Amino acid sequence: YALADAAFGARALSGWKVGASSAGAQAFLKIDAPIRGRIFDDGIWMPGDVALPGARDAEAEPEVVLRVGPRGRPVAAFLGLE
């Protein structure tokens, strides 16, 4: 992750996302652990923030978003779209 740190280090980190968290997904992708990714402050949008002009339909993947407290326990849960 050193390359990503160098590329994105100046951006404000808001959280993390985890993908391929099931054994089936990991087997399909031929990996042995979940994939993690950064969520930056400037990459979070609220409804109405983004216009999607053009003829192509928007595509989105539903996500479960957890806000984790300082002791590592979830303190809130939300539905999100990626």
Side-chain angles (χ1 to χ4, degrees):
Y1 291 94
L3 181 60
D5 288 341
F8 301 118
R11 294 174 68 192
L13 182 65
S14 183
W16 295 89
K17 66 177 285 171
V18 178
S21 58
S22 71
Q26 292 170 25
F28 177 76
L29 295 170
K30 297 180 172 81
I31 58 175
D32 61 3
I35 302 166
R36 68 178 179 162
R38 293 169 168 92
I39 300 172
F40 297 105
D41 287 351
D42 61 359
I44 297 175
W45 300 289
M46 301 306 289
D49 287 350
V50 178
L52 299 171
R56 183 168 182 218
D57 292 336
E59 297 174 4
E61 177 183 356
E63 302 285 352
V64 175
V65 181
L66 298 176
R67 178 169 288 147
V68 179
R71 295 182 183 196
R73 295 190 177 129
V75 296
F78 310 91
L79 295 177
L81 292 175
E82 175 185 28

